[in-house]
Amino acid sequence: MAAGVKGIAILGSTGSIGRQALEVVRRFPERFRVVGLSARSNLALLSRQVEEFCPAVVAAEELAGDGAGARNPLASRATVLELVAHPDAELVVMAIPGAAALVPVLHALQLRKRVALASKEAVVIGGALVAREVAAGAELLPVDSEASAIWQCLRGEERDVARLILTASGGPLRSRPVEELDRVTPQEALRHPTWRMGEKVTVDSATLMNKAFEVMEAHWLFGVPWERIEVVVHPQSIVHSLVEFQDGSVKAQLAYPDMRLPLQYALFYPQRGQGQFTERLDLVRVRRLTFEPLDPARYPAFALALEAARAGGTYPAALNAADEVAVELFLGERIGFTDILRLVRRVVDEHRPGSELSLEEILAADAWARQRARELA
Ligand code: MG
């Protein structure tokens, strides 16, 4: 590969994050070369991506014999793990939604590939295992806007952090009366006011499960104890998160909300990218940045998830798996919006964690919770 060109593998290339990562790559063909792409089921889009970016390897879960891989003579069919291991893949963008990201994330970290992580569930359920690899020298770059903001504030600082303050838009249901939440439809829950994201994370933003996941992500990525991570509701999504240092000084990262910004930051790291994907921030036009406390009655999933996080072990794996099933059932109109929490709570309450935290234990808890959530639904 030519000098100065970074080889990139994108896992989950047809999802919202994967597509936006390719938008960044498309703008800087002299800086990036797509080495591998993977998708689960959107083979039509994957074929078009293969044609445009000519990756060396393609992995598709549902790829038939004459599928996307065969269309491009350069592309060979591979598994996701082979794709991660490809010698030209210096940076792996993890954009597979849900728990399925954990195994490829650990594999990439063990191979000491630089990982740009959008799949926060991998850290939610496997935080201790991921943190162990990072402590041993692996590089994990956050792509989540809040985690990226914290990372940007921390660069160049000694890690004497007093407090992390994560901002939350409050999601699509922030102004909906609490007593009406059981009538919320999937269409309403998917109408996010400020962010363009995948369906699962948008519903998680409506329950604020997503924000609890981001607290866990911040805890494991930046090594800050639970009691020093706070969340404040900020409906404009301009301040993406803040770090308070021991001297009382607070740094924040601001921009109009656009995932291509944190994606570009991770792709170009250690440099800062030059692509301007959002308008320049016009503070006079923004006029007002507002902040509110998080209302626990509106977002009971937030407290439940943090309880599971503090309990540790395989509790977060059970929580996440139950949430994945519950959100899927809600999107399929099989259960109501407030049933998501009810179902997740029952599964977490029933969960009996094993004695030691290993990948096998996590995957077993994940499988158990998925099955149990379906039985209880
Ligand atoms: Mg986020």
Side-chain angles (χ1 to χ4, degrees):
M1 203 167 304
V5 179
K6 202 180 275 184
I8 296 186
I10 302 177
L11 275 63
S13 66
T14 59
S16 172
I17 292 288
R19 293 196 309 269
Q20 294 183 73
L22 285 172
E23 284 180 45
V24 177
V25 168
R26 187 181 285 125
R27 195 172 295 190
F28 298 99
E30 73 288 359
R31 297 297 303 272
F32 303 111
R33 154 113 173 79
V34 176
V35 173
L37 294 173
S38 93
R40 189 177 52 190
S41 54
N42 190 348
L43 298 189
L45 178 55
L46 182 63
S47 303
R48 291 201 298 276
Q49 292 176 341
V50 167
E51 238 157 75
E52 180 180 354
F53 294 98
C54 304
V57 279
V58 179
E61 222 169 86
E62 292 167 20
L63 189 63
D66 58 349
R71 275 191 159 205
N72 187 316
L74 288 172
S76 63
R77 269 192 282 153
T79 67
V80 163
L81 295 186
E82 285 165 353
L83 196 151
V84 163
H86 192 282
D88 289 341
E90 293 166 63
L91 176 76
V92 181
V93 177
M94 289 289 180
I96 301 174
L102 179 61
V103 170
V105 165
L106 283 175
H107 190 63
L109 293 175
Q110 280 154 3
L111 293 171
R112 294 295 181 263
K113 302 278 183 168
R114 190 176 272 172
V115 174
L117 185 76
S119 315
K120 71 194 100 190
E121 290 89 344
V123 178
V124 166
I125 71 175
L129 304 185
V130 169
R132 194 183 300 159
E133 294 302 329
V134 171
E139 279 186 293
L140 187 63
L141 318 180
V143 165
D144 213 347
S145 61
E146 294 78 1
S148 176
I150 292 167
W151 181 35
Q152 293 181 52
C153 292
L154 285 174
R155 276 184 72 192
E157 298 281 354
E158 297 297 320
R159 299 262 159 138
D160 50 349
V161 171
R163 198 160 49 123
L164 302 182
I165 305 167
L166 274 67
T167 54
S169 68
L173 307 173
R174 185 177 65 92
S175 312
R176 191 77 178 249
V178 172
E179 58 278 9
E180 282 181 21
L181 289 178
D182 55 351
R183 272 172 275 155
V184 165
T185 65
Q187 291 70 32
E188 291 168 325
L190 289 174
R191 217 171 285 139
H192 199 284
T194 52
W195 286 104
R196 171 161 74 102
M197 304 184 292
E199 288 193 343
K200 162 69 166 49
V201 61
T202 304
V203 176
D204 280 346
S205 298
T207 59
L208 234 69
M209 183 66 85
N210 178 58
K211 203 51 57 178
F213 285 179
E214 288 173 359
V215 170
M216 299 183 213
E217 191 182 21
H219 169 78
W220 290 112
L221 258 51
F222 305 112
V224 175
W226 302 113
E227 61 278 9
R228 286 202 260 143
I229 307 175
E230 293 174 17
V231 172
V232 63
V233 174
H234 168 48
Q236 296 86 14
S237 299
I238 299 285
V239 178
H240 296 304
S241 279
L242 313 90
V243 179
E244 183 188 67
F245 296 91
Q246 296 294 355
D247 63 356
S249 185
V250 176
K251 282 166 82 172
Q253 186 257 332
L254 286 73
Y256 290 119
D258 191 312
M259 283 311 296
R260 290 170 299 181
L261 195 63
L263 270 164
Q264 172 176 246
Y265 192 78
L267 260 56
F268 272 89
Y269 173 81
Q271 282 111 37
R272 187 178 275 277
Q274 301 298 313
Q276 195 195 326
F277 290 97
T278 63
E279 285 175 76
R280 298 280 165 191
L281 183 61
D282 182 343
L283 285 172
V284 175
R285 206 184 87 203
V286 171
R287 225 162 63 85
R288 255 158 42 98
L289 298 172
T290 61
F291 302 92
E292 307 161 15
L294 192 159
D295 175 6
R298 174 176 296 280
Y299 304 112
F302 180 77
L304 172 72
L306 282 187
E307 236 174 83
R310 281 167 177 266
T314 47
Y315 275 112
L319 170 91
N320 173 72
D323 180 60
E324 282 188 36
V325 171
V327 168
E328 192 188 301
L329 292 171
F330 167 68
L331 289 174
E333 296 184 51
R334 303 259 311 281
I335 63 173
F337 181 74
T338 46
D339 295 329
I340 296 173
L341 176 77
R342 228 167 277 143
L343 190 54
V344 174
R345 189 190 294 283
R346 283 193 65 185
V347 173
V348 171
D349 282 347
E350 281 187 24
H351 182 58
R352 294 292 166 265
S355 51
E356 64 167 312
L357 189 68
S358 62
L359 179 59
E360 292 67 35
E361 292 264 354
I362 292 170
L363 298 179
D366 176 272
W368 170 84
R370 266 166 222 279
Q371 193 194 338
R372 193 65 192 129
R374 289 188 199 288
E375 287 165 8
L376 292 170

